[in-house]
Amino acid sequence: MGPRDLLRLVSGELTTLGIRHFVTGSMGSMAYGEYRSTIDVDLVADLRAPHLKALAAAFQEPDFYLSESAMREALSAFGQFNLIHVPSAMKVDFMIPEPSKFNASRFERVRQVPLAGIADERHDAGLGIVDAPRHGQRRVDGQSGRTAAEQPFL
């Protein structure tokens, strides 16, 4: 499993569980045309205590490693924890945002971005959710005039 497949899987589960989230890091940059090498997925997730059991149930051993104590610690400190897909050793870094006006504005600016070449029966419009730039979206395809939000990535 590569980063794109892992993103599709994890984003789909988070959406199903009603957990707001967006992609950041290398994969977030790629959605806006800044291609970078990556071996993991970075997500900002509005995870709450009631979500923990369901999230742990969605990603069970032997295919996944997810520590419930690390999730609880990340929630209490507004820190981060990891989900590891064991067969591929691919990792998802979950970052828990501190309550603030800035972080609230980040979730308000989330845009749905198609994940190139992947469809999922639960998500018709694609799965790549990214934090949009504050001052509009820059053009990534001069000929078609598509914005980053319209340009499939990966």
Side-chain angles (χ1 to χ4, degrees):
M1 177 176 301
R4 181 175 64 171
D5 298 319
L6 187 58
L7 171 60
R8 179 186 60 81
L9 176 68
V10 173
S11 181
E13 289 298 333
L14 293 175
T15 300
T16 298
L17 296 173
I19 301 170
R20 297 184 316 154
H21 62 284
F22 60 86
V23 178
T24 190
S26 294
M27 293 189 82
S29 293
M30 286 189 277
Y32 290 98
E34 301 294 329
Y35 291 94
R36 295 168 48 186
S37 177
T38 188
I39 56 171
D40 69 354
V41 175
D42 298 317
L43 292 173
V44 175
D46 189 19
L47 191 64
R48 307 295 169 105
H51 297 131
L52 296 184
K53 293 273 187 221
L55 188 60
F59 297 104
Q60 296 182 15
E61 293 180 357
D63 289 331
F64 293 95
Y65 171 77
L66 179 61
S67 166
E68 286 190 58
S69 63
M71 287 193 294
R72 282 191 298 278
E73 186 176 321
L75 279 178
S76 67
F78 303 106
Q80 69 179 36
F81 65 92
N82 308 107
L83 167 70
I84 298 170
H85 179 250
V86 175
S88 68
M90 293 297 306
K91 179 178 67 143
V92 177
D93 293 324
F94 283 86
M95 287 149 245
I96 310 302
E98 189 173 355
S100 69
K101 287 182 182 181
F102 173 71
N103 282 327
S105 78
R106 293 169 78 196
F107 279 101
E108 289 169 6
R109 293 182 281 117
V110 166
R111 300 292 178 262
Q112 191 81 15
V113 176
L115 193 54
I118 292 182
D120 185 292
E121 61 276 2
R122 293 178 296 176
H123 303 92
D124 297 341
L127 306 175
I129 301 173
V130 298
D131 193 10
R134 187 175 291 274
H135 298 292
Q137 299 163 331
R138 70 178 181 84
R139 298 289 175 181
V140 295
D141 181 344
Q143 291 184 340
S144 70
R146 290 191 291 186
T147 65
E150 299 163 328
Q151 179 78 21
F153 71 105
L154 299 176

